[in-house]
Amino acid sequence: MIHIDASGLSYQQLNEKIRSCQEDVFLENCCGQRFLGTGMGEKHIRIQGTPGNALGAYLNGACIEVLGNAQDAVGDTMNAGRIVVHGSLGDTAGYAMRGGEIYVRGDAGYRTGVHMKAYGDKFPVIVVGGRTGSFLGEYQAGGILIVLGLTESTEPIVRNFPCTGMHGGKLFIRSACENVLFPEQVAPRAATPKDMEEILPYLQTFAQLFGEDYEKICSAPFTLVVPDSQNPYHQMYVSN
């Protein structure tokens, strides 16, 4: 693995260095550089520090691992690959994501999974170990969102207005969601064992990546949320 000191380097310089390496890369002293790993495939990039916005934008097969927190728009329009964050995320993680996987040990901010969609044989998945901010799964059109709430906090596992405009895909929340207010165009219900079969591989991967207890994760009740209409906007607007 090639070590690169990111101190004082722009994101253009860092991406050029990463692309020129034939081996995997370890970025040290990363501090706010945006667009790292943009569009990259077939490479493993480990990052020590805090990368800036749009980490792994348009990612096309590479694996990016962050040994700390990441900022906004992680995996923006991601196509394939995997992003693993050992800390927490900012807002709009997985914006317009259409393939690949994002695993977050901590919390994620507002609009996680906004406009997430499946495309062809591409199928996106986001697993958040902690809590998420408001507008989770806003306009979701495909793929799977999973929120586990593995935290001691008494704050709600998801904040306000989850699934607004959702018209495809699935959301799994590790909670009975008794106090969560969902919009009319979605149909939340208790996840059945058959429903859970679809996400068990992702839960197992999450547990392996972060050293969590897989059996404990699976022992809690999950809520499954799916849209009850292919045209949610019909219920949101008045037409003549």
Side-chain angles (χ1 to χ4, degrees):
M1 180 171 283
I2 302 297
H3 287 242
I4 298 174
D5 188 347
S7 300
L9 297 180
S10 68
Y11 75 87
Q12 295 100 325
Q13 292 170 316
L14 283 176
N15 277 337
E16 184 177 344
K17 285 179 176 289
I18 294 169
R19 288 192 176 94
S20 68
C21 292
Q22 299 301 312
E23 302 178 45
D24 294 336
V25 173
F26 191 110
L27 292 185
E28 301 172 305
N29 303 313
C30 185
C31 187
Q33 288 96 338
R34 302 172 294 166
F35 310 121
L36 295 179
T38 297
M40 293 188 189
E42 304 304 323
K43 192 179 293 289
H44 191 150
I45 305 166
R46 301 190 77 197
I47 300 176
Q48 176 267 318
T50 304
N53 293 351
L55 171 72
Y58 304 99
L59 197 69
N60 201 32
C63 176
I64 300 177
E65 183 178 9
V66 181
L67 307 178
N69 299 324
Q71 296 185 28
D72 298 342
V74 169
D76 185 342
T77 324
M78 181 176 170
N79 188 53
R82 176 180 288 180
I83 299 176
V84 178
V85 178
H86 289 260
S88 293
L89 294 181
D91 299 335
T92 64
Y95 176 84
M97 179 183 176
R98 59 194 178 200
E101 301 170 3
I102 298 176
Y103 293 90
V104 186
R105 186 171 196 172
D107 299 332
Y110 294 103
R111 291 189 159 88
T112 299
V114 57
H115 281 299
M116 194 167 83
K117 65 203 73 175
Y119 178 75
D121 62 348
K122 305 294 184 182
F123 190 81
V125 176
I126 300 177
V127 184
V128 178
R131 298 169 291 125
T132 63
S134 299
F135 297 101
L136 170 69
E138 184 180 32
Y139 305 121
Q140 184 181 353
I144 292 177
L145 280 166
I146 305 171
V147 183
L148 300 178
L150 300 174
T151 173
E152 299 299 324
S153 173
T154 58
E155 294 292 321
I157 189 171
V158 299
R159 301 295 294 186
N160 301 323
F161 316 115
C163 307
T164 301
M166 180 185 189
H167 56 283
K170 298 179 181 180
L171 166 63
F172 288 83
I173 303 175
R174 185 175 171 270
S175 166
C177 294
E178 295 172 348
N179 298 317
V180 178
L181 182 62
F182 292 100
E184 293 182 358
Q185 78 266 16
V186 301
R189 60 175 173 80
T192 66
K194 182 66 174 177
D195 295 326
M196 292 298 295
E197 289 179 6
E198 186 173 15
I199 67 168
L200 291 181
Y202 306 116
L203 299 182
Q204 188 170 38
T205 297
F206 177 92
Q208 292 171 344
L209 287 171
F210 302 121
E212 297 287 351
D213 187 334
Y214 172 72
E215 297 298 332
K216 178 182 177 181
I217 292 173
C218 296
S219 66
F222 278 73
T223 297
L224 169 62
V225 186
V226 294
D228 66 0
S229 170
Q230 294 298 310
N231 183 16
Y233 308 103
H234 177 73
Q235 302 177 38
M236 297 172 67
Y237 301 100
V238 174
S239 60
N240 293 325

